[in-house]
Amino acid sequence: MTDAASTGTTFQPRVFSGIQPSGGLTLGNYLGAMRRFVDWQDKGLNDGFETIFCMVDLHAITVWQDPEALRRQTRELAAGYIASGLDPAKAILFNQSQVHEHTQLAWIFNCIARMGWMQRMTQWKDKAGKNQQNASLGLFAYPSLMAADILVYHATHVPVGEDQKQHIELTRDIAIKFNNDYGVDFFPVTEPVIEGAATRVMSLRDGSKKMSKSDPSDMARINMTDDADAIAQKIRKARTDPEALPSEAEGLDGRAEARNLVNIYAALADQTVDQVLADVGGKQFSEFKPMLAELAVAKLSPISTEMARLMEAPDEIDAILRNGAERARAIAAPVLKKTYDIVGMIR
Ligand code: AQP
């Protein structure tokens, strides 16, 4: 149960999360988000709460997307969700633009959130870079739409990677301010759920940068559609240091690239970093990298094969998304109506 912002109304647990179809899915998306969505789906089924997973296509267009590529990437993301273990019969899967309540609530939240809150967002600063005047207004307002994505379902828990923590905190601030401004206990104060060995998978070329779909270098990331040769080559060429692997986690301090590869291994093997190092401590990277490549191929190949199979039937993917959108709308519409009543709209 999660408390409302002010006087302690309790909300039934409900899980929401999303991924942008802004490129091909990466190992970072898989380990930091998607694989954990599957755990939540199964927990939801056992404990009787809903889980809602979205392809946030409206977020993707905050930076330019070729329309045909966007459609393909959205279907590919849906295929990635399903191939990773999400089941449309168990969880709600849909693309954001089909449920208009997201953008309608986002407008209300644009009027709640403050410019200063948005200006502090590190994703805004990173993505807009030095040329903020030329960035889209949508990129600036991104976190407000994200708050709407979550709160239009009264979601109480949002599994995300480390990079999204600040946006979830802003979602909480918006819920609290809305509830205070209107004297209601309407929106829950959502919990970010950031857990596991790979909450921040780093670039294979630069251990200080997050692995990202939009990194200009394809060698910086493992794509979920990469074949065995590509995965092995990227791991072989991954930047490392000349030292052998340590036997304990403290030995990874100050060695960002080494830490990243060990974290990836641990996450893929479902082990802790200490368990991995107990086995591989003392080995050189020339020995460890082939082990990692073999493990990555064994875990990822069945997913990419299944994604390719699903992509052969795009109509079936579209039907799944339409059905998911209908189920999502059934939850979102009453929340939006009530929000309009609170705000003072005549309907
Ligand atoms: N490198 C990562 N490590 C762990 N988790 C990650 N996530 C993304 N990259 C990593 C998690 O994946 C979910 C979906 O992210 P997103 O696509 O909505 O946006 P993002 O975080 O901006 O992802 P990218 O790959 O970096 O996309 P682009 O390049 O388009 O900006 C989130 O839960 C995120 O934490």
Side-chain angles (χ1 to χ4, degrees):
M1 299 284 183
T2 294
D3 285 345
S6 23
T7 61
T9 302
T10 50
F11 290 83
Q12 294 301 321
R14 186 177 284 148
V15 170
F16 173 91
S17 198
I19 298 183
Q20 298 183 77
S22 49
L25 270 171
T26 71
L27 181 67
N29 297 134
Y30 174 65
L31 293 177
M34 222 151 58
R35 204 173 64 155
R36 294 175 36 237
F37 297 173
V38 180
D39 295 339
W40 277 102
Q41 165 189 268
D42 297 343
K43 189 169 160 48
L45 221 57
N46 275 336
D47 298 354
F49 61 82
E50 273 153 323
T51 51
I52 305 168
F53 300 108
C54 190
M55 284 117 256
V56 288
D57 47 9
L58 293 167
H59 276 109
I61 60 164
T62 55
V63 295
W64 164 255
Q65 302 292 331
D66 172 77
E68 266 321 303
L70 179 61
R71 259 186 287 275
R72 182 175 40 73
Q73 285 158 196
T74 305
R75 291 187 181 115
E76 201 172 85
L77 178 52
Y81 274 179
I82 297 165
S84 299
L86 289 180
D87 178 346
K90 297 178 182 166
I92 299 179
L93 308 184
F94 69 105
N95 58 312
Q96 186 186 25
S97 59
Q98 291 205 61
V99 181
H100 303 158
E101 284 78 3
H102 289 234
T103 41
Q104 290 171 289
L105 185 60
W107 179 258
I108 308 248
F109 288 170
N110 283 347
C111 302
I112 297 288
R114 306 289 96 180
M115 297 280 286
W117 298 3
M118 302 289 166
Q119 266 156 353
R120 280 197 293 277
M121 294 296 109
T122 52
Q123 181 172 295
W124 157 250
K125 290 190 235 171
D126 288 349
K127 288 202 168 171
K130 291 199 175 71
N131 201 2
Q132 292 192 351
Q133 296 302 313
N134 214 24
S136 73
L137 187 55
L139 188 66
F140 187 67
Y142 184 114
S144 173
L145 177 57
M146 181 163 160
D149 297 338
I150 296 165
L151 293 174
V152 83
Y153 300 104
H154 276 187
T156 54
H157 295 81
V158 184
V160 282
E162 182 68 42
D163 61 312
Q164 291 298 330
K165 184 165 181 238
Q166 198 184 27
H167 286 165
I168 309 291
E169 279 161 5
L170 193 127
T171 299
R172 295 162 64 90
D173 290 342
I174 288 177
I176 291 168
K177 186 166 187 317
F178 181 96
N179 288 352
N180 283 342
D181 285 358
Y182 291 101
V184 291
D185 281 324
F186 186 57
F187 286 116
V189 181
T190 303
E191 293 293 332
V193 191
I194 300 167
E195 56 194 8
T199 56
R200 194 167 170 80
V201 178
M202 307 309 281
S203 155
L204 298 179
R205 305 302 301 160
D206 177 352
S208 68
K209 268 173 62 184
K210 183 184 84 141
M211 182 181 286
S212 217
K213 302 181 205 87
S214 56
D215 193 309
S217 165
D218 192 56
M219 292 303 282
R221 62 176 162 265
I222 292 174
N223 304 302
M224 295 303 288
T225 49
D226 282 344
D227 62 19
D229 286 347
I231 293 174
Q233 193 204 24
K234 287 176 180 182
I235 292 175
R236 197 167 55 243
K237 297 215 159 167
R239 203 169 135 188
T240 46
D241 57 46
E243 305 294 316
L245 282 156
S247 303
E248 282 165 11
E250 298 80 66
L252 294 170
D253 289 350
R255 300 177 65 187
E257 282 86 10
R259 180 186 296 280
N260 189 36
L261 295 188
V262 172
N263 280 349
I264 292 173
Y265 191 101
L268 287 171
D270 272 323
Q271 290 182 344
T272 64
V273 165
D274 285 325
Q275 282 170 327
V276 174
L277 291 178
D279 284 343
V280 302
K283 286 191 196 304
Q284 295 293 333
F285 280 101
S286 54
E287 218 180 324
F288 178 65
K289 281 178 169 180
M291 291 172 63
L292 176 58
E294 192 182 332
L295 177 64
V297 169
K299 295 284 178 174
L300 304 182
S301 287
I303 299 175
S304 65
T305 306
E306 179 62 2
M307 281 173 76
R309 194 189 67 76
L310 291 164
M311 285 297 281
E312 281 169 18
D315 292 351
E316 283 173 30
I317 294 179
D318 294 0
I320 288 170
L321 297 182
R322 271 196 304 278
N323 178 268
E326 234 170 83
R327 291 163 64 203
R329 206 173 303 118
I331 303 172
V335 173
L336 184 75
K337 279 203 180 99
K338 179 79 181 151
T339 310
Y340 273 15
D341 286 344
I342 291 169
V343 171
M345 306 289 169
I346 295 173
R347 60 180 173 89

